[in-house]
């Protein structure tokens, strides 16, 4: 059976109906996916304290591990000693040292982050390094347990 030619209006109506059907089916698919995801998800407020504790871990590498220390000019440098040396620095100098040595930021980047001149960053970094060295030299034997 040969179908008669459709008029332009009929073609538009058929295409319109097709588009609406596709959109409705996509909306249903999205709704179903959301329902499945929500059935598997849980809010933080619904977690028990035991479940909350399973979401993170604490770094225990500095809890007395002897293998983590190293020798410099006959002095034993432990992670605890290094951490204590950093704690002796004023907060501004500590931020500068941490950003420079541990986050690989340049003096210019640190200056922008802290809103201070680059020369101040350089001064803080070099003076902190001298203070850290002095602290480590003086206290290395006390912390070598």
């Amino acid at each position: 059976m040969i179908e008669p030619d459709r008029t332009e209006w009929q073609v538009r109506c058929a295409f319109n109906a097709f588009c609406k059907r596709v959109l409705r089916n996509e909306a249903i698919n999205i709704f179903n996916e959301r329902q499945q995801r929500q059935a598997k998800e849980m809010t933080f407020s619904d977690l028990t304290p035991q479940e909350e504790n399973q979401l993170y871990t604490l770094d225990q590498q500095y809890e007395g591990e002897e293998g983590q220390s190293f020798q410099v000019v006959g002095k034993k440098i432990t992670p605890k000693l290094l951490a204590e040396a950093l704690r002796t620095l004023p907060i501004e100098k500590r931020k500068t040292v941490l950003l420079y040595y541990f986050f690989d930021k340049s003096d210019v980047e640190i200056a922008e982050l802290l809103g201070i001149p680059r020369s101040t960053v350089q001064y803080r970094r070099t003076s902190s390094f001298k203070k850290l060295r002095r602290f480590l030299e003086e206290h290395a034997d006390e912390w070598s347990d």
Side-chain angles (χ1 to χ4, degrees):
M1 175 171 166
I2 299 177
E3 197 171 307
D5 289 334
R6 293 184 173 190
T7 66
E8 186 178 333
W9 175 253
Q10 289 173 326
V11 172
R12 284 186 181 183
C13 288
F15 182 71
N16 187 17
F18 172 76
C19 289
K20 287 179 181 177
R21 190 177 313 119
V22 168
L23 289 173
R24 188 183 74 233
N25 289 339
E26 276 303 307
I28 290 170
N29 288 343
I30 291 170
F31 177 79
N32 289 338
E33 287 176 14
R34 244 189 228 157
Q35 293 290 63
Q36 289 173 355
R37 191 178 314 123
Q38 285 178 349
K40 296 176 186 176
E41 290 178 351
M42 180 181 287
T43 62
F44 284 115
S45 60
D46 293 338
L47 294 176
T48 65
Q50 293 81 15
E51 291 170 329
E52 283 182 35
N53 289 337
Q54 293 176 354
L55 296 176
Y56 66 91
T57 60
L58 296 175
D59 191 4
Q60 299 293 323
Q61 70 180 359
Y62 297 122
E63 295 294 326
E65 291 185 16
E66 291 299 317
Q68 296 293 327
S69 64
F70 51 93
Q71 293 282 125
V72 178
V73 192
K75 304 276 186 178
K76 185 176 180 182
I77 307 297
T78 64
K80 286 183 180 181
L81 174 62
L82 189 56
E84 187 60 32
L86 285 169
R87 279 191 208 99
T88 63
L89 295 174
I91 189 75
E92 301 85 20
K93 289 185 176 186
R94 189 178 326 144
K95 283 181 185 179
T96 304
V97 168
L98 291 174
L99 287 169
Y100 186 83
Y101 289 104
F102 296 101
F103 292 96
D104 291 326
K105 299 285 185 190
S106 68
D107 287 352
V108 174
E109 292 171 324
I110 296 170
E112 289 173 2
L113 281 171
L114 301 179
I116 57 176
R118 187 207 51 81
S119 59
T120 304
V121 172
Q122 183 180 6
Y123 169 75
R124 285 181 183 176
R125 185 173 45 81
T126 55
S127 65
S128 297
F129 186 69
K130 290 175 186 174
K131 186 173 182 178
L132 288 171
R133 181 174 43 194
R134 237 184 350 262
F135 182 90
L136 292 173
E137 287 173 349
E138 292 171 4
H139 296 89
D141 295 329
E142 299 170 15
W143 288 78
S144 61
D145 40 22

